[in-house]
Coordinates of all heavy atoms in Angstrom, one line a residue:
E1 N 0.8 -1.2 0.0 CA 0.0 0.0 0.0 C 0.8 1.3 0.0 O 0.3 2.3 -0.3 CB -0.9 0.0 1.2 CG -2.0 -1.0 1.2 CD -2.9 -0.9 2.4 OE1 -2.9 0.1 3.1 OE2 -3.7 -1.9 2.7
V2 N 2.1 1.2 0.4 CA 2.9 2.4 0.6 C 4.2 2.2 -0.2 O 5.0 1.3 0.0 CB 3.3 2.6 2.1 CG1 4.1 3.9 2.2 CG2 2.0 2.7 2.9
E3 N 4.4 3.1 -1.1 CA 5.7 3.1 -1.9 C 6.8 3.8 -1.1 O 6.6 4.8 -0.4 CB 5.4 4.0 -3.2 CG 6.7 4.2 -4.0 CD 6.4 5.2 -5.1 OE1 5.2 5.3 -5.6 OE2 7.4 5.8 -5.6
R4 N 8.0 3.1 -1.1 CA 9.1 3.7 -0.4 C 9.8 4.8 -1.2 O 9.9 4.8 -2.4 CB 10.2 2.6 -0.2 CG 9.8 1.6 0.8 CD 10.8 0.5 1.0 NE 11.9 0.6 0.1 CZ 13.0 -0.1 0.2 NH1 13.2 -0.8 1.2 NH2 13.9 0.0 -0.7
R5 N 10.1 5.9 -0.4 CA 10.8 7.1 -1.0 C 11.9 7.5 -0.2 O 12.0 7.2 1.0 CB 9.8 8.2 -1.1 CG 8.6 8.0 -2.1 CD 7.7 9.2 -2.2 NE 6.7 8.9 -3.1 CZ 5.7 9.7 -3.3 NH1 5.5 10.8 -2.6 NH2 4.7 9.4 -4.2
P6 N 12.9 8.3 -0.7 CA 14.0 8.7 0.1 C 13.5 9.6 1.3 O 12.5 10.3 1.2 CB 14.8 9.6 -0.8 CG 14.4 9.1 -2.2 CD 13.0 8.7 -2.1
L7 N 14.1 9.4 2.4 CA 13.7 10.2 3.6 C 13.9 11.7 3.5 O 13.0 12.4 3.8 CB 14.6 9.7 4.8 CG 14.3 10.4 6.2 CD1 12.8 10.2 6.6 CD2 15.2 9.8 7.2
L8 N 15.1 12.1 2.9 CA 15.3 13.5 2.8 C 15.3 13.8 1.3 O 16.1 13.3 0.5 CB 16.7 13.8 3.4 CG 16.8 13.6 4.9 CD1 18.3 13.8 5.3 CD2 15.9 14.5 5.6
D9 N 14.5 14.7 0.9 CA 14.3 15.1 -0.5 C 15.3 16.3 -0.8 O 14.9 17.4 -1.0 CB 12.9 15.5 -0.8 CG 12.7 15.8 -2.3 OD1 13.5 15.3 -3.1 OD2 11.7 16.5 -2.6
L10 N 16.6 16.0 -0.7 CA 17.6 17.0 -0.9 C 18.5 16.6 -2.0 O 18.8 15.4 -2.2 CB 18.4 17.2 0.4 CG 17.7 17.7 1.6 CD1 18.6 17.7 2.8 CD2 17.1 19.1 1.4
S11 N 19.1 17.6 -2.7 CA 20.0 17.2 -3.8 C 21.4 17.3 -3.5 O 22.3 17.1 -4.3 CB 19.7 18.2 -5.0 OG 19.9 19.5 -4.6
S12 N 21.7 17.6 -2.2 CA 23.1 17.7 -1.7 C 23.9 16.4 -2.0 O 23.3 15.3 -1.9 CB 23.2 17.9 -0.2 OG 22.4 19.0 0.1
G13 N 25.1 16.5 -2.5 CA 25.9 15.3 -2.8 C 26.0 14.3 -1.7 O 25.9 13.1 -2.0
Y14 N 26.3 14.7 -0.5 CA 26.4 13.8 0.6 C 25.1 13.0 0.9 O 25.1 11.9 1.3 CB 27.0 14.4 1.9 CG 26.1 15.4 2.5 CD1 25.3 15.0 3.7 CD2 25.9 16.7 2.1 CE1 24.5 15.9 4.3 CE2 25.1 17.6 2.7 CZ 24.4 17.2 3.8 OH 23.5 18.1 4.5
I15 N 24.0 13.7 0.7 CA 22.7 13.0 0.9 C 22.5 12.0 -0.3 O 22.1 10.8 0.0 CB 21.5 14.0 0.9 CG1 21.7 14.9 2.1 CG2 20.2 13.3 0.9 CD1 21.5 14.3 3.4
Q16 N 22.7 12.4 -1.5 CA 22.6 11.5 -2.6 C 23.5 10.3 -2.5 O 23.1 9.2 -2.9 CB 22.8 12.3 -3.9 CG 21.8 13.4 -4.2 CD 20.4 12.9 -4.3 OE1 20.1 11.9 -5.0 NE2 19.5 13.5 -3.6
R17 N 24.7 10.5 -2.1 CA 25.6 9.3 -2.0 C 25.2 8.3 -0.9 O 25.5 7.1 -1.0 CB 27.1 9.8 -1.7 CG 27.7 10.5 -2.9 CD 29.2 10.8 -2.7 NE 29.4 11.8 -1.6 CZ 29.4 13.1 -1.8 NH1 29.1 13.6 -3.0 NH2 29.6 13.9 -0.8
A18 N 24.5 8.8 0.1 CA 24.1 7.9 1.2 C 22.7 7.5 1.1 O 22.2 6.7 2.0 CB 24.3 8.6 2.5
A19 N 22.0 7.8 0.0 CA 20.5 7.6 -0.1 C 20.2 6.1 0.1 O 19.2 5.7 0.7 CB 20.0 8.1 -1.4
D20 N 21.0 5.2 -0.5 CA 20.7 3.8 -0.4 C 20.9 3.2 1.0 O 20.4 2.1 1.4 CB 21.6 3.0 -1.4 CG 23.1 3.0 -1.1 OD1 23.5 4.1 -0.6 OD2 23.8 2.1 -1.4
R21 N 21.6 3.9 1.9 CA 21.8 3.5 3.3 C 20.9 4.2 4.3 O 21.0 3.9 5.5 CB 23.3 3.7 3.6 CG 24.2 2.8 2.8 CD 25.7 3.0 3.2 NE 26.2 4.3 2.9 CZ 26.7 4.7 1.7 NH1 26.6 3.9 0.7 NH2 27.1 5.9 1.5
M22 N 20.2 5.2 3.8 CA 19.3 5.9 4.7 C 17.9 5.2 4.9 O 17.5 4.6 3.9 CB 19.1 7.3 4.1 CG 20.3 8.2 4.0 SD 20.8 8.9 5.5 CE 19.6 10.1 5.8
P23 N 17.3 5.4 6.0 CA 15.9 4.9 6.1 C 15.0 5.6 5.1 O 15.4 6.7 4.6 CB 15.5 5.4 7.5 CG 16.8 5.6 8.3 CD 17.7 6.1 7.2
K24 N 13.9 5.0 4.8 CA 13.0 5.5 3.8 C 11.7 6.0 4.4 O 11.4 5.6 5.5 CB 12.6 4.4 2.8 CG 13.8 3.7 2.2 CD 14.6 4.6 1.3 CE 15.7 3.8 0.6 NZ 17.0 4.3 0.9
Q25 N 11.1 6.9 3.7 CA 9.7 7.3 4.1 C 8.8 6.7 3.1 O 9.1 6.2 2.1 CB 9.6 8.8 4.2 CG 9.7 9.5 2.9 CD 9.4 11.0 3.0 OE1 8.6 11.4 3.8 NE2 10.2 11.8 2.3
G26 N 7.5 6.9 3.4 CA 6.5 6.3 2.6 C 5.9 7.4 1.7 O 6.2 8.5 1.7
S27 N 5.0 6.9 0.8 CA 4.3 7.8 -0.2 C 3.1 8.5 0.4 O 2.5 9.3 -0.2 CB 4.0 7.0 -1.4 OG 3.2 5.9 -1.1
K28 N 2.6 8.0 1.6 CA 1.4 8.6 2.2 C 1.5 8.5 3.7 O 2.3 7.8 4.2 CB 0.2 7.9 1.7 CG 0.1 6.5 2.0 CD -1.2 5.9 1.3 CE -1.3 4.4 1.6 NZ -2.5 3.9 1.0
T29 N 0.7 9.4 4.4 CA 0.8 9.4 5.8 C 0.3 8.1 6.4 O -0.5 7.4 5.8 CB -0.1 10.5 6.4 OG1 -1.4 10.3 5.9 CG2 0.4 11.9 5.9
P30 N 0.8 7.7 7.5 CA 1.7 8.4 8.4 C 3.2 8.2 8.1 O 4.0 8.6 8.9 CB 1.4 7.8 9.8 CG 1.1 6.4 9.5 CD 0.3 6.4 8.1
W31 N 3.5 7.6 7.0 CA 4.9 7.3 6.7 C 5.5 8.4 5.9 O 6.7 8.3 5.6 CB 4.9 6.0 5.9 CG 4.3 4.8 6.7 CD1 3.1 4.3 6.5 CD2 4.8 4.2 7.8 NE1 2.8 3.3 7.4 CE2 3.9 3.2 8.2 CE3 6.0 4.3 8.5 CZ2 4.1 2.4 9.3 CZ3 6.3 3.5 9.6 CH2 5.3 2.5 10.0
Y32 N 4.8 9.4 5.5 CA 5.3 10.5 4.7 C 5.5 11.7 5.5 O 4.6 12.1 6.3 CB 4.3 10.8 3.6 CG 4.6 12.0 2.7 CD1 5.7 12.0 1.9 CD2 3.9 13.2 2.8 CE1 6.1 13.1 1.1 CE2 4.3 14.3 2.1 CZ 5.4 14.2 1.2 OH 5.7 15.3 0.5
L33 N 6.7 12.2 5.5 CA 7.1 13.4 6.3 C 6.9 14.7 5.5 O 7.7 15.0 4.6 CB 8.5 13.3 6.8 CG 8.9 12.2 7.6 CD1 10.4 12.1 7.9 CD2 8.1 12.2 8.9
R34 N 5.8 15.4 5.8 CA 5.6 16.7 5.1 C 6.6 17.7 5.5 O 7.1 17.6 6.6 CB 4.2 17.2 5.4 CG 3.1 16.4 4.9 CD 1.8 17.1 5.2 NE 1.6 17.1 6.7 CZ 0.4 16.9 7.3 NH1 -0.6 16.7 6.6 NH2 0.3 17.0 8.6
Q35 N 6.9 18.6 4.7 CA 7.8 19.7 5.0 C 7.0 21.0 5.2 O 7.3 22.0 4.6 CB 8.9 19.9 3.9 CG 9.8 18.7 3.8 CD 10.6 18.5 5.1 OE1 11.1 19.4 5.7 NE2 10.8 17.2 5.5
N36 N 5.9 20.9 6.0 CA 5.0 22.0 6.2 C 4.6 22.1 7.7 O 3.7 21.3 8.1 CB 3.8 21.8 5.3 CG 2.9 23.0 5.3 OD1 2.6 23.7 6.3 ND2 2.4 23.4 4.1
Y37 N 5.2 23.0 8.4 CA 4.9 23.1 9.8 C 3.5 23.4 10.1 O 2.9 22.8 11.0 CB 5.8 24.2 10.4 CG 5.5 24.5 11.9 CD1 5.9 23.6 12.9 CD2 4.8 25.7 12.2 CE1 5.6 23.9 14.2 CE2 4.5 26.0 13.5 CZ 4.9 25.1 14.5 OH 4.6 25.4 15.8

């Protein structure tokens, strides 16, 4: 039911290089981390 996505949606090189080793977030709540306070 939930597609895995990168945890941090950043284009920084160090984030991109570690993306395969980082935890994932989901495509919908509660597994999706909005960036809207």
